[in-house]
């Protein structure tokens, strides 16, 4: 079940976060659904070991969007991105393929603004969890401006 290409239309914004290491803001879209991560053996085993429950996490980012319910922490997107858009959610600032905390970790597109639209991440992700779409940049800018006014 790859990322829903229409996620901005079908989901609500459930969060707005700032990258602590830059001026970038990114949005989270929810509610999400249980998908590949909930059935992947390595992900399931690490959730069990950590005592954390597997829950729907939604889509993180807007014009570089990662469906965290489909992300199985493979990490090849981090390795492939020439401009280091992604870092590990549970190891902030770490951008190496194997720098994940464990397989409950997720690729966080905290530096969306750096994207040069090369599409490498989209092509290599084994679960097709990533959608990159220049058309969604406008949605991102509009929503960030709207939320900032509230
Ligand atoms: Fe996750 Fe796919 Fe990257 S599984 S870590 S989004 S390559
Ligand atoms: Fe990087 Fe993917 Fe953009 S590889 S440059 S985030 S299209």
């Amino acid at each position: 079940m790859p990322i829903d290409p229409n996620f901005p239309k079908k989901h609500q914004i459930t969060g707005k976060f700032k990258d602590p290491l830059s001026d970038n803001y990114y949005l989270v879209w929810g509610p999400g659904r249980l998908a590949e991560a909930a059935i992947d053996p390595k992900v399931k085993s690490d959730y069990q070991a950590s005592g954390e429950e597997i829950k729907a996490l939604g889509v993180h980012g807007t014009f570089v969007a990662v469906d965290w319910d489909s992300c199985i922490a493979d990490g090849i997107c981090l390795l492939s991105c020439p401009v280091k858009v992604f870092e590990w959610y549970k190891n902030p600032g770490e951008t190496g393929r194997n720098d994940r905390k464990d397989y409950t970790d997720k690729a966080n597109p905290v530096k969306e603004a750096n994207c040069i639209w090369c599409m490498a991440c989209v092509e290599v992700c084994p679960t097709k969890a990533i959608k990159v779409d220049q058309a969604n940049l406008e949605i991102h800018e509009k929503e960030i401006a709207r939320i900032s006014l509230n």
Side-chain angles (χ1 to χ4, degrees), residues 17-137:
F17 297 95
K18 184 179 178 299
D19 173 14
L21 303 176
S22 74
D23 289 332
N24 296 337
Y25 283 92
Y26 56 97
L27 299 171
V28 179
W29 302 79
R33 75 281 186 258
L34 294 184
E36 285 89 343
I39 53 169
D40 181 84
K42 284 191 279 194
V43 177
K44 276 170 68 178
S45 161
D46 280 353
Y47 265 101
Q48 203 165 19
S50 69
E52 217 183 318
E53 191 190 341
I54 302 183
K55 285 191 269 191
L57 298 171
V59 173
H60 289 235
T62 306
F63 52 99
V64 179
V66 183
D67 184 338
W68 279 14
D69 300 317
S70 295
C71 175
I72 56 169
D74 178 277
I76 197 161
C77 57
L78 288 92
L79 179 69
S80 306
C81 181
V83 290
K84 303 285 177 210
V85 163
F86 308 96
E87 62 184 41
W88 291 106
Y89 174 63
K90 294 185 174 177
N91 268 338
E94 296 296 334
T95 59
R97 180 175 187 181
N98 292 313
D99 291 339
R100 70 181 80 71
K101 179 171 180 270
D102 57 30
Y103 282 93
T104 69
D105 215 340
K106 303 291 175 183
N108 206 9
V110 288
K111 293 190 172 60
E112 271 175 301
N114 291 358
C115 180
I116 55 170
W117 319 109
C118 77
M119 300 296 168
C121 57
V122 174
E123 281 160 31
V124 295
C125 175
T127 55
K128 302 286 175 211
I130 305 176
K131 177 175 169 72
V132 175
D133 189 346
Q134 226 163 333
N136 286 347
L137 177 57

